[in-house]
Amino acid sequence: QVQLVESGGGLVQAGGSLRLSCTASGIISSINAMGWYRQAPGKQRELVAHIFSGGSSYYEDSVKGRFDISGANAQNTVHLQMNSLKPEDTAMYYCYALLRSSPTRPDREYWGQGTQVTVSS
């Protein structure tokens, strides 16, 4: 079994910063990508950022220039540094990983339980 454990959410004022972390544990052969989605009340879950094992990354337009995703494959960990936070960034943030548990198995998605980020105005 694979588990993703997130940390780092909380309450911050607009303009502040938070750093989210997520670590994957269990039987893991390789990780293709890790990243973060978020879901605000009444809205669909949206991709915030992800990073591939080769180092390339993607950011949703509204967070470009403010968020930075970094991964440490050796530790199966991904971080999301969030700066200049805005009230509209308020959401539950979910970590995900696309990985395989053995070289002969296909990639599968795994999800964390979520961590709440609240930005007050």
Side-chain angles (χ1 to χ4, degrees):
Q1 285 286 2
V2 173
Q3 283 190 322
L4 302 185
V5 178
E6 301 131 327
S7 63
L11 172 64
V12 66
Q13 287 189 332
S17 298
L18 284 173
R19 180 177 171 88
L20 306 183
S21 296
C22 172
T23 298
S25 62
I27 301 175
I28 299 170
S29 172
S30 63
I31 296 179
N32 188 341
M34 293 186 76
W36 297 88
Y37 279 74
R38 66 186 178 186
Q39 187 167 20
K43 294 188 176 181
Q44 288 189 331
R45 189 175 292 192
E46 65 175 358
L47 176 62
V48 177
H50 63 202
I51 185 166
F52 292 96
S53 58
S56 61
S57 58
Y58 164 87
Y59 296 90
E60 194 270 328
D61 284 346
S62 70
V63 307
K64 286 179 181 177
R66 300 188 297 122
F67 291 10
D68 179 62
I69 190 169
S70 59
N73 283 339
Q75 291 86 26
N76 295 339
T77 298
V78 65
H79 305 286
L80 184 68
Q81 178 66 41
M82 304 186 295
N83 300 321
S84 302
L85 282 161
K86 304 175 180 180
E88 51 263 43
D89 294 317
T90 296
M92 184 71 78
Y93 283 69
Y94 297 91
C95 175
Y96 86 96
L98 185 64
L99 59 87
R100 59 182 65 187
S101 57
S102 82
T104 59
R105 290 185 176 271
D107 286 339
R108 275 190 57 186
E109 281 189 349
Y110 294 86
W111 293 86
Q113 293 297 309
T115 184
Q116 179 67 36
V117 171
T118 302
V119 184
S120 63
S121 57

Short mmCIF file of all heavy atoms in Angstrom, two decimals, residues 1 5 11 15 20 25 34 48-49 51 54 67 73 75 80 86 92 95 98 115:
data_model
loop_
_atom_site.label_atom_id
_atom_site.label_comp_id
_atom_site.label_asym_id
_atom_site.label_seq_id
_atom_site.Cartn_x
_atom_site.Cartn_y
_atom_site.Cartn_z
N GLN A 1 0.83 -1.20 0.00
CA GLN A 1 0.00 0.00 0.00
C GLN A 1 0.86 1.24 0.00
O GLN A 1 1.96 1.26 0.55
CB GLN A 1 -0.91 0.01 1.25
CG GLN A 1 -2.07 -0.94 1.18
CD GLN A 1 -3.16 -0.46 0.23
OE1 GLN A 1 -3.02 0.58 -0.40
NE2 GLN A 1 -4.22 -1.24 0.11
N VAL A 5 1.12 11.61 2.81
CA VAL A 5 0.85 12.38 4.02
C VAL A 5 1.25 13.83 3.77
O VAL A 5 2.40 14.11 3.41
CB VAL A 5 1.63 11.82 5.23
CG1 VAL A 5 1.38 12.67 6.47
CG2 VAL A 5 1.21 10.37 5.48
N LEU A 11 -3.87 28.89 8.47
CA LEU A 11 -4.50 30.18 8.26
C LEU A 11 -3.43 31.25 8.13
O LEU A 11 -2.50 31.31 8.95
CB LEU A 11 -5.42 30.50 9.45
CG LEU A 11 -6.04 31.89 9.50
CD1 LEU A 11 -6.98 32.10 8.32
CD2 LEU A 11 -6.76 32.09 10.82
N GLY A 15 -1.23 38.05 1.35
CA GLY A 15 0.14 38.50 1.18
C GLY A 15 1.16 37.62 1.87
O GLY A 15 2.36 37.76 1.64
N LEU A 20 3.59 23.84 1.77
CA LEU A 20 2.99 22.52 1.90
C LEU A 20 4.02 21.45 1.56
O LEU A 20 4.85 21.65 0.67
CB LEU A 20 1.79 22.38 0.96
CG LEU A 20 0.69 23.44 1.07
CD1 LEU A 20 -0.45 23.09 0.11
CD2 LEU A 20 0.18 23.57 2.48
N SER A 25 4.82 7.15 1.02
CA SER A 25 5.49 6.03 1.68
C SER A 25 4.80 4.73 1.30
O SER A 25 3.66 4.73 0.86
CB SER A 25 5.46 6.21 3.20
OG SER A 25 4.13 6.22 3.68
N MET A 34 4.50 14.12 -9.11
CA MET A 34 3.79 14.47 -7.88
C MET A 34 3.30 15.89 -8.02
O MET A 34 3.90 16.70 -8.76
CB MET A 34 4.69 14.35 -6.65
CG MET A 34 5.11 12.92 -6.33
SD MET A 34 6.04 12.79 -4.77
CE MET A 34 4.72 12.96 -3.55
N VAL A 48 -3.18 22.60 -9.40
CA VAL A 48 -2.41 23.80 -9.02
C VAL A 48 -1.02 23.74 -9.65
O VAL A 48 -0.58 24.68 -10.31
CB VAL A 48 -2.30 23.92 -7.49
CG1 VAL A 48 -1.46 25.12 -7.10
CG2 VAL A 48 -3.68 23.99 -6.86
N ALA A 49 -0.33 22.67 -9.40
CA ALA A 49 1.02 22.52 -9.92
C ALA A 49 1.42 21.06 -9.82
O ALA A 49 0.96 20.34 -8.93
CB ALA A 49 2.01 23.38 -9.12
N ILE A 51 5.04 18.34 -10.74
CA ILE A 51 6.42 18.22 -11.17
C ILE A 51 6.67 16.78 -11.56
O ILE A 51 6.25 15.85 -10.88
CB ILE A 51 7.38 18.70 -10.05
CG1 ILE A 51 8.82 18.69 -10.54
CG2 ILE A 51 7.22 17.87 -8.77
CD1 ILE A 51 9.78 19.45 -9.63
N GLY A 54 11.55 14.02 -14.19
CA GLY A 54 12.67 14.63 -14.90
C GLY A 54 12.93 16.07 -14.51
O GLY A 54 13.94 16.66 -14.93
N PHE A 67 3.69 30.67 -6.72
CA PHE A 67 3.91 29.33 -6.14
C PHE A 67 5.12 28.69 -6.79
O PHE A 67 5.42 28.91 -7.96
CB PHE A 67 2.70 28.43 -6.37
CG PHE A 67 1.46 28.82 -5.60
CD1 PHE A 67 1.36 30.01 -4.90
CD2 PHE A 67 0.38 27.95 -5.57
CE1 PHE A 67 0.22 30.35 -4.20
CE2 PHE A 67 -0.78 28.26 -4.87
CZ PHE A 67 -0.85 29.48 -4.19
N ASN A 73 12.94 13.35 -5.28
CA ASN A 73 12.56 11.97 -5.54
C ASN A 73 13.20 10.98 -4.58
O ASN A 73 12.64 9.94 -4.27
CB ASN A 73 12.88 11.59 -6.98
CG ASN A 73 11.88 12.16 -7.94
OD1 ASN A 73 10.76 12.50 -7.57
ND2 ASN A 73 12.26 12.30 -9.19
N GLN A 75 13.57 11.26 -1.54
CA GLN A 75 12.76 11.19 -0.33
C GLN A 75 11.28 11.01 -0.64
O GLN A 75 10.46 11.01 0.27
CB GLN A 75 12.94 12.47 0.51
CG GLN A 75 14.31 12.61 1.15
CD GLN A 75 15.30 13.26 0.22
OE1 GLN A 75 14.91 14.01 -0.66
NE2 GLN A 75 16.57 12.97 0.40
N LEU A 80 5.32 22.56 -1.91
CA LEU A 80 4.71 23.66 -2.62
C LEU A 80 4.87 24.92 -1.78
O LEU A 80 4.25 25.06 -0.74
CB LEU A 80 3.22 23.39 -2.90
CG LEU A 80 2.51 24.44 -3.74
CD1 LEU A 80 3.05 24.42 -5.18
CD2 LEU A 80 1.00 24.23 -3.75
N LYS A 86 -3.53 34.91 -1.72
CA LYS A 86 -4.73 35.71 -1.89
C LYS A 86 -5.93 34.97 -1.30
O LYS A 86 -5.91 33.73 -1.22
CB LYS A 86 -4.99 35.96 -3.38
CG LYS A 86 -3.84 36.60 -4.12
CD LYS A 86 -4.14 36.69 -5.61
CE LYS A 86 -2.99 37.33 -6.37
NZ LYS A 86 -3.28 37.42 -7.84
N MET A 92 -9.14 23.43 0.05
CA MET A 92 -8.48 22.22 0.54
C MET A 92 -7.47 21.81 -0.53
O MET A 92 -7.84 21.70 -1.71
CB MET A 92 -9.50 21.11 0.77
CG MET A 92 -8.92 19.85 1.36
SD MET A 92 -8.44 20.06 3.08
CE MET A 92 -10.06 19.96 3.86
N CYS A 95 -2.57 16.50 -2.20
CA CYS A 95 -1.38 15.99 -2.85
C CYS A 95 -1.73 14.75 -3.66
O CYS A 95 -2.60 13.96 -3.26
CB CYS A 95 -0.35 15.62 -1.78
SG CYS A 95 1.15 14.84 -2.40
N LEU A 98 1.73 10.06 -9.09
CA LEU A 98 1.57 9.08 -10.16
C LEU A 98 2.79 8.18 -10.09
O LEU A 98 3.90 8.61 -10.38
CB LEU A 98 1.49 9.79 -11.52
CG LEU A 98 1.21 8.92 -12.73
CD1 LEU A 98 -0.17 8.29 -12.62
CD2 LEU A 98 1.30 9.74 -14.01
N THR A 115 -5.13 19.07 2.97
CA THR A 115 -4.77 20.01 4.03
C THR A 115 -5.40 21.36 3.70
O THR A 115 -5.35 21.82 2.57
CB THR A 115 -3.23 20.11 4.18
OG1 THR A 115 -2.91 20.95 5.29
CG2 THR A 115 -2.56 20.65 2.93
#
